[in-house]
Amino acid sequence: DSGVTQTPKHLITATGQRVTLRCSPRSGDLSVYWYQQSLDQGLQFLIQYYNGEERAKGNILERFSAQQFPDLHSELNLSSLELGDSALYFCASSLMWAGKETQYFGPGTRLLVL
Amino acid sequence: AQTVTQSQPEMSVQEAETVTLSCTYDTSENNYYLFWYKQPPSRQMILVIRQEAYKQQNATENRFSVNFQKAAKSFSLKISDSQLGDTAMYFCAFMKLGNNNDMRFGAGTRLTVKP
């Protein structure tokens, strides 16, 4: 158990819909990272927040957005969902943001878009 | 842009033997980190080992060790005394130091440990 929690574990929705994925980092960690793992794209970094502020952006679509709240939990919002958005979405957390710290991954949220 | 290549989609090894997984990367950065992550059937991502590019000494974690060749941009993982629980997907990953902590992953190597 990494100490990172993600909810829900599974999500099934239809194309065009909007969903919100939630992540709670390990106690004391200030950074949250979001990743997408799909069959065709592999593992991709989406976005990073540090202490409430966006720190880095990867291959995140404009239909996707994220935020980190004052209590440090983070939410990833996916809108206008397409079949290709079906994937496993991981959240990871680390103490700081500079890459020196180990990232601890949550169990992931499996999203299926029908 | 950084790219990470794992040229072995699948590998197998007998229990108690040693196996080496390959990883190469392409970057113009000088300061970065390299990681090996394990993803068992449960899909949980687990950090196996990490290497700071500025360190010449190869990282070691119990049965896991790396062969880091900075000039060749190579970062292989050696698993000694393989155990059935080592069966998993293994991902090599690169992260540059600095403001943009964009982590790049390889496509993965599926390792099967046979009894």
Side-chain angles (χ1 to χ4, degrees), chain A residues 37 56 97 100 102-103 105, chain B residues 39 44 47 50 95 101:
Chain A
Q37 185 177 29
W97 57 268
K100 298 180 182 180
T102 298
Q103 290 186 27
F105 281 73
Chain B
Q39 188 177 40
Q44 176 82 47
L47 177 67
R50 73 173 190 168
M95 174 184 272
N101 302 141

Side-chain angles (χ1 to χ4, degrees), chain A residues 2 35 37 43 45 48 55-57 88 90 97-103 105-107 110, chain B residues 33 35 37 39 42-45 47 50 91 95-105:
Chain A
S2 67
Y35 297 89
Q37 185 177 29
L43 263 166
F45 165 71
Q48 178 204 359
R55 175 64 69 176
K57 231 174 188 178
L88 187 57
F90 285 107
W97 57 268
K100 298 180 182 180
E101 295 79 29
T102 298
Q103 290 186 27
F105 281 73
R110 186 177 295 279
Chain B
Y33 283 81
F35 306 86
Y37 279 92
Q39 188 177 40
S42 68
R43 306 289 269 175
Q44 176 82 47
M45 292 287 286
L47 177 67
R50 73 173 190 168
F91 293 95
M95 174 184 272
K96 66 175 183 175
L97 291 182
N99 290 331
N100 190 344
N101 302 141
D102 185 354
M103 182 178 273
R104 299 295 176 105
F105 292 87

Side-chain angles (χ1 to χ4, degrees), chain A residues 9-50:
Chain A
K9 287 186 178 180
H10 303 277
L11 200 49
I12 301 175
T13 188
T15 54
Q17 295 298 305
R18 172 189 168 95
V19 297
T20 297
L21 312 183
R22 182 188 170 105
C23 168
S24 293
R26 291 189 323 153
S27 177
D29 283 358
L30 300 177
S31 252
V32 170
Y33 307 76
W34 286 98
Y35 297 89
Q36 178 195 60
Q37 185 177 29
S38 62
L39 285 176
D40 54 347
Q41 298 288 333
L43 263 166
Q44 291 197 97
F45 165 71
L46 296 179
I47 197 164
Q48 178 204 359
Y49 278 82
Y50 172 73

